[in-house]
Structure formats: structure tokens, C-alpha cells
């Protein structure tokens, strides 16, 4: 089969298409014929060698795929050849024509959800669900600011929060991104590059502030975030690319909490809960992953560049 292989950590150019032997599923494993692969920012951190969790070289990147079960290991009963599925983790790497997964990382893909949409679920929707509900304890009637609502995690947060009965404010840096955020269910949208965006959010929140912030770029925004929180508010730090100075008094005065989220920190039981909820949302139509860009597998280097550029629009996927 063809797969993306990484021989050395480095820039996007280290992603190369190579022919490798077809993998085979062992006990408890599922072999998936990959139809689409999700590209996440974390794939670029891992590829660069800068990430704390490094795979040993050679490796095939990618965790999230949409595809069809090709074969199952001897004791696997939950899936059979021909089932449409999505994955939230693989053993052999998702950026390939075939991927072997533990059966716990494979989930049914409802008929109306495309393979590309299936590739947009594992990391983005898994993170959004964990951030909103397992870490942020979002409640119906609360107000949430999805700070960075135009990308993979942000659009997922908007759809999940809207379906759960929150008042949703989203932010994006482009007109196209802001239109998308409104289409996906935000009640209000702001430009996170506008100098007065904090005032706009405080006006929308009627001076009281927001209960929850889903933060995609904490090293830029955390100090301002604390000033926008209502009493008892929570900031969930999802994305962060550096250090920032904050005034802890802002948290003290509001009895606010700053909560980190790390998808890898979810237990097996929490992951099972996340994916049960996501499959239900896909089935009832409240979750509709947005695919901004589809590129052929060989253009993985371009996808790794694009996912870090401004002007996000849903998800970038690779098609083997
Ligand atoms: P993405 O699709 O590339 O989206 C990035 C988002 O950040 C876009 O909405 C972008 O908006 C927004 N953004 C850019 N500048 C911003 C600013 N100044 N203030 C607020 N938002 C800003 O990436 P993603 O997959 O959604 O991931 C988002 C972040 O979460 C990444 O840093 C990723 O590494 C991290 N993440 C963490 C976990 C975890 O377990 N903690 C899991 C998944 C992802 P515009 O492009 O419209 O400006």
C-alpha cells in the first residue's frame, strides 16, 4: 500500500509517500481501508520533533480517518468487513491506504456522514466535547465564547454548545470564517483581530461576562479572557503556543478557574462516553463536520503548512 512515511523529524518536506507492506489486524484489532485522513495541528508538532510525545522513526502520521472495515482480528465482534467507520487513533498511522486500529478506537459512521467528515471527528470533536463538558462542565443556559471558532475544534465546539442549549459567541479572523461560525450555530460572532473585540463581547454578554471560554490561542488571549468572565466563569485552555503574563486578581475577583485540557488525558471510559455522544449527534444531525480543504495524500506537506496558517475554515483532510 501507499503511506506517508516520516524518516526524520523536520519541516513538512519530511512527509514522503512510500510503498510499504499491507498491515494485518491482530487480536482485538480492526483493519480500515482509509478513504480520508484528518490533518490536525498536533500532527505538525509531532512531525517537527518538538512535541513531548514523539513516535519512534520511521512512522506514518495521523490519528483520524474515515473509511471502511477491510478485515478484523480473530476475536473482534463489534465490526465486520464492509462497515463504514471513523477512527480516533491508529496503531500503524492514518495517513495511508490501510490502517490497523485497536477496536476501541473505531466507531460507526452514520450513512449520511461522508468519509471526509468522518476524518474530522477524532481529535477535533473529541477535544471539543471533552473541553465543553468533561472539563468545562457546560450547562444549558450558560454563555460560551468559542475563541477561535472557525477551525476544526472551534466549529465542533459551536455545534456541540448550540445543541446543548448554551448561548454561543464565536470568534474568527476572516469574513469567510465568521460567516461559517454563524452558519454552524453561533448566536453572535466577533473578529478576534479587531482592537475592540473585548468590548463587543461584553456588550453581547450584557456587561455580566461569559460563563465559559473555549480558548484556542491562550498565549495571546488568556489575560483578556479573565477580564471577560462572569462570576464563577471558566476558561478552558485548548490551544497554546507560548507564554503570557496574566493578572491572577482577575481570576480571584470572579472566583474563576483556568482549566487545561489534554485529549490524551481522557480515560478509556471518558473516551467511550465522548464517542457515544458524538455518534448520537451525527445521527440526529446536530453534528455536521465542515470540510474546508480536501487534498490528495501526496500533498501532505501542503496540508501541514495550511493547517498552521491563519484563515481557518473547518477541517483539512487528505484523500489516499
Ligand atoms: P485550526 O483548525 O487550525 O483552527 C485554529 C483556530 O484558531 C481558528 O479558528 C483560528 O481563527 C483561531 N485563531 C487564530 N488566531 C486567533 C486568535 N488571536 N485568537 C483566537 N483564535 C485564533 O486548529 P484546531 O484543530 O481547531 O486546533 C486549535 C488549537 O487547539 C491548536 O493550537 C491545536 O494544537 C489545539 N488542540 C489542542 C488539543 C488538546 O488536547 N489540548 C486538541 C486538539 C487541538 P482564524 O484562522 O479565523 O483567525
Amino acid at each position: 500500500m501507499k503511506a506517508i512515511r516520516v524518516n526524520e523529524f523536520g519541516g513538512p518536506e519530511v512527509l514522503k509517500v512510500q510503498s510499504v507492506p499491507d498491515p494485518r489486524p491482530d487480536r482485538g484489532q480492526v483493519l480500515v481501508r482509509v478513504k480520508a485522513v484528518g490533518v490536525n495541528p498536533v500532527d505538525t508538532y509531532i512531525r517537527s520533533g518538538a512535541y513531548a510525545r514523539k513516535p519512534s522513526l520511521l512512522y506514518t502520521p495521523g490519528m483520524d480517518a474515515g473509511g471502511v472495515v477491510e478485515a478484523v482480528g480473530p476475536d473482534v465482534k463489534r465490526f465486520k468487513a464492509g462497515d463504514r467507520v471513523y477512527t480516533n487513533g491508529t496503531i500503524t498511522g492514518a495517513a495511508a491506504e490501510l490502517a490497523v486500529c485497536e477496536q476501541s478506537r473505531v466507531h460507526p459512521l452514520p450513512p449520511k456522514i461522508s468519509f471526509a467528515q468522518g476524518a474530522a471527528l477524532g481529535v477535533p470533536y473529541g477535544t471539543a466535547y471533552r473541553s465543553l463538558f468533561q472539563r468545562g462542565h457546560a450547562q444549558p443556559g450558560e454563555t460560551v465564547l468559542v475563541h477561535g471558532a472557525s477551525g476544526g475544534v472551534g466549529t465542533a465546539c459551536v455545534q456541540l454548545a448550540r445543541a446543548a442549549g448554551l448561548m454561543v459567541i464565536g470568534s474568527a479572523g476572516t469574513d469567510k470564517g465568521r460567516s461559517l461560525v454563524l452558519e454552524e450555530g453561533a448566536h453572535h460572532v466577533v473578529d478576534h483581530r479587531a482592537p475592540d473585540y473585548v468590548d463587543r463581547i461584553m456588550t453581547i454578554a450584557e456587561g455580566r461576562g461569559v460563563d465559559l471560554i473555549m480558548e484556542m490561542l491562550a498565549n495571546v488571549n488568556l489575560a483578556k479572557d479573565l477580564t471577560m468572565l462572569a462570576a464563577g466563569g471558566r476558561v478552558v485552555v485548548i490551544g497554546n503556543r507560548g507564554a503570557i503574563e496574566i493578572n491572577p486578581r482577575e481570576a480571584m475577583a470572579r472566583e474563576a478557574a483556568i482549566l487545561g485540557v489534554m485529549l490524551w488525558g481522557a480515560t478509556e471510559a471518558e473516551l467511550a462516553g465522548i464517542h457515544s455522544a458524538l455518534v448520537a449527534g451525527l445521527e440526529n444531525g446536530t453534528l455536521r463536520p465542515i470540510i474546508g480543504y480536501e487534498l490528495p495524500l501526496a500533498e501532505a506537506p501542503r496540508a501541514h503548512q495550511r493547517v498552521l496558517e491563519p484563515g481557518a475554515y473547518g477541517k483539512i483532510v487528505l484523500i489516499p
Side-chain angles (χ1 to χ4, degrees):
M1 68 163 182
K2 294 272 192 294
I4 298 290
R5 302 291 277 166
V6 175
N7 295 295
E8 56 179 329
F9 295 115
E13 68 284 353
V14 302
L15 301 163
K16 307 257 197 255
V17 181
Q18 290 179 0
S19 292
V20 296
D22 287 5
R24 294 159 66 98
D26 207 337
R27 298 189 81 76
Q29 298 176 352
V30 176
L31 179 67
V32 177
R33 182 157 292 277
V34 176
K35 304 283 191 186
V37 188
V39 177
N40 292 296
V42 70
D43 298 323
T44 73
Y45 315 151
I46 295 170
R47 186 218 65 230
S48 73
Y51 200 60
R53 288 164 56 118
K54 273 196 270 296
S56 41
L57 298 166
L58 285 162
Y59 78 96
T60 292
M63 301 149 210
D64 299 345
V68 176
V69 174
E70 180 89 356
V72 297
D75 55 344
V76 172
K77 302 274 181 281
R78 281 177 57 219
F79 298 100
K80 60 179 186 325
D83 287 351
R84 300 175 88 253
V85 293
Y86 74 91
T87 71
N88 70 315
T90 74
I91 297 166
T92 54
E97 290 174 321
L98 292 164
V100 169
C101 310
E102 295 293 348
Q103 61 175 329
S104 60
R105 297 284 174 270
V106 180
H107 313 280
L109 189 65
K112 63 189 169 194
I113 306 299
S114 70
F115 294 121
Q117 288 178 303
L121 292 165
V123 170
Y125 278 75
T127 302
Y129 188 93
R130 181 162 179 75
S131 303
L132 274 167
F133 303 114
Q134 295 179 342
R135 300 293 293 141
H137 299 288
Q139 301 295 324
E142 287 191 321
T143 299
V144 61
L145 167 63
V146 181
H147 211 171
S150 48
V153 180
T155 49
C157 283
V158 168
Q159 293 172 2
L160 283 161
R162 179 68 193 244
L166 282 89
M167 208 270 270
V168 182
I169 307 168
S171 83
T174 64
D175 285 340
K176 198 176 161 200
R178 285 188 288 279
S179 302
L180 174 68
V181 172
L182 285 177
E183 282 161 27
E184 292 317 310
H187 298 86
H188 304 274
V189 69
V190 298
D191 177 358
H192 48 226
R193 295 192 219 292
D196 65 341
Y197 83 86
V198 171
D199 295 339
R200 280 227 41 220
I201 289 168
M202 291 309 284
T203 304
I204 294 165
E206 295 172 352
R208 179 184 157 269
V210 300
D211 301 295
L212 258 181
I213 300 179
M214 301 287 115
E215 182 51 71
M216 305 302 155
L217 202 54
N219 54 300
V220 171
N221 298 323
L222 187 59
K224 284 182 186 161
D225 286 350
L226 294 176
T227 69
M228 289 190 277
L229 285 177
R234 295 88 73 201
V235 183
V236 181
V237 176
I238 300 173
N240 183 65
R241 293 178 181 164
I244 183 172
E245 186 176 315
I246 62 164
N247 183 354
R249 173 167 283 278
E250 303 288 357
M252 187 177 76
R254 296 165 172 80
E255 297 199 310
I258 301 168
L259 301 157
V261 66
M262 191 46 88
L263 186 58
W264 319 134
T267 63
E268 286 300 319
E270 286 171 330
L271 283 173
I274 289 170
H275 289 282
S276 297
L278 296 184
V279 171
L282 295 168
E283 284 171 347
N284 70 25
T286 51
L287 303 184
R288 309 158 304 273
I290 304 300
I291 307 304
Y293 304 91
E294 285 189 19
L295 295 169
L297 188 65
E299 288 192 36
R302 171 79 195 111
H304 273 224
Q305 280 167 347
R306 183 71 191 83
V307 77
L308 295 182
E309 288 167 1
Y313 191 90
K315 189 78 218 151
I316 301 173
V317 298
L318 295 170
I319 308 294

